[in-house]
């Protein structure tokens, strides 16, 4: 792919010129779960539409015989989940960013174990107004409770990822530099 995609002039080929339609559905999870969140600068409505269009595309690919029924059902289910979850993740990310936009201290001054750098953290537990986060970088129990706006916890779900920093200040865990929320 990269050889053809990075080629110049007439030798340049797009994904659809190299691969057939049977190669579309294996990328649906990455497209909806990462690309639509991280790379597409769009609001909740367009993100909802991406899930709906994915469902229709999966059905069309099966109808035309490009993919099997099981693959189409799986992609359609993922599309339905994305149509519901992507807008909620977008709203939650905005709420969290508004509440915890910037890191309020110099991380170089943080005591050992009181600061975790910007990364993707997985929601291990949710209660109204509280989160517990975990990462493969953090040993032991999930970090929390982390106070967050209740409006955010009403939208978030267990196992979703939040890209942010985590620090301990004034005796409690806090979020900072919140960027995106990734539904799964």
């Amino acid at each position: 792919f990269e050889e053809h995609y990075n080629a110049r002039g007439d030798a340049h080929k797009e994904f659809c010129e190299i691969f057939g339609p049977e190669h579309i559905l294996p990328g649906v999870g990455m497209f909806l779960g990462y690309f639509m969140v991280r790379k597409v600068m769009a609001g909740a409505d367009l993100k909802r539409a991406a899930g709906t269009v994915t469902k229709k595309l999966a059905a069309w690919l099966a109808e035309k015989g490009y993919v099997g029924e099981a693959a189409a059902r799986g992609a359609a289910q993922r599309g339905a989940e994305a149509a519901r979850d992507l807008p909620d993740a977008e709203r939650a990310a905005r709420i969290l960013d508004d509440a915890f936009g910037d890191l309020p201290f110099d991380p170089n001054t943080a005591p050992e174990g009181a600061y975790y750098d910007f990364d993707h953290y997985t929601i291990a537990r949710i209660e109204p107004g509280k989160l517990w986060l975990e990462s493969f970088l953090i040993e032991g129990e999930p970090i929390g409770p982390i106070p967050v706006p209740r409006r955010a916890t009403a939208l978030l779900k267990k196992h979703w990822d939040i890209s942010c920093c985590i620090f301990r200040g004034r005796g409690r865990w806090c979020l900072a530099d919140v960027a995106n929320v990734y539904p799964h």
Side-chain angles (χ1 to χ4, degrees), residues 86-104:
L86 283 170
D88 286 349
E90 175 71 20
R91 285 187 205 97
R94 288 186 184 195
I95 292 166
L96 294 173
D97 181 54
D98 287 347
F100 309 108
D102 295 322
L103 194 60

Side-chain angles (χ1 to χ4, degrees), residues 8-53:
R8 299 196 183 272
D10 290 341
H12 172 80
K13 303 284 186 227
E14 295 293 330
F15 182 91
C16 294
E17 295 173 298
I18 301 168
F19 302 106
E22 68 277 7
H23 291 279
I24 294 172
L25 295 187
V28 163
M30 181 65 91
F31 173 72
L32 294 172
Y34 172 77
F35 186 83
M36 285 301 298
V37 174
R38 174 84 178 182
K39 302 291 185 181
V40 177
M41 303 303 282
D45 290 339
L46 180 63
K47 290 180 178 180
R48 179 181 295 108
T52 302
V53 169

